[in-house]
Amino acid sequence: MGNEYDVLEAVGAVVAGVGLVVLLIAREAGLLFGPLLLAMGLIVWKMGEMRREFNEKLESLRGEIESLKGPGGTIDG
């Protein structure tokens, strides 16, 4: 795992944190909006994590393709 985080991960963490604060501080409104913000934040966070992992795997595959290319620039079968 790399040390770089996707923007969606950071945004999701902030939204989840705000949802948790709203849930703990606000009274009646917190019971509705807190869990909603928390769930949205966790979903966005996970989407960012999956996008980062996908991009890492894609870069790895591109590197493998480049290493398989022959001197003529074509892939040997």
Side-chain angles (χ1 to χ4, degrees):
M1 292 216 133
N3 292 333
E4 297 180 16
Y5 294 102
D6 192 71
V7 175
L8 283 178
E9 284 182 277
V11 170
V14 169
V15 171
V18 169
L20 188 59
V21 168
V22 168
L23 181 63
L24 295 175
I25 292 177
R27 298 194 184 251
E28 293 83 22
L31 293 177
L32 176 64
F33 295 117
L36 181 65
L37 283 175
L38 186 62
M40 286 174 44
L42 291 175
I43 290 169
V44 171
W45 189 349
K46 188 63 179 177
M47 285 173 48
E49 181 181 349
M50 292 175 67
R51 186 168 81 170
R52 179 178 45 86
E53 290 174 358
F54 174 75
N55 286 336
E56 288 174 356
K57 289 179 183 177
L58 189 60
E59 279 300 314
S60 172
L61 288 174
R62 284 182 179 154
E64 288 184 33
I65 289 174
E66 289 298 320
S67 70
L68 289 175
K69 284 186 177 178
T74 60
I75 299 176
D76 294 331

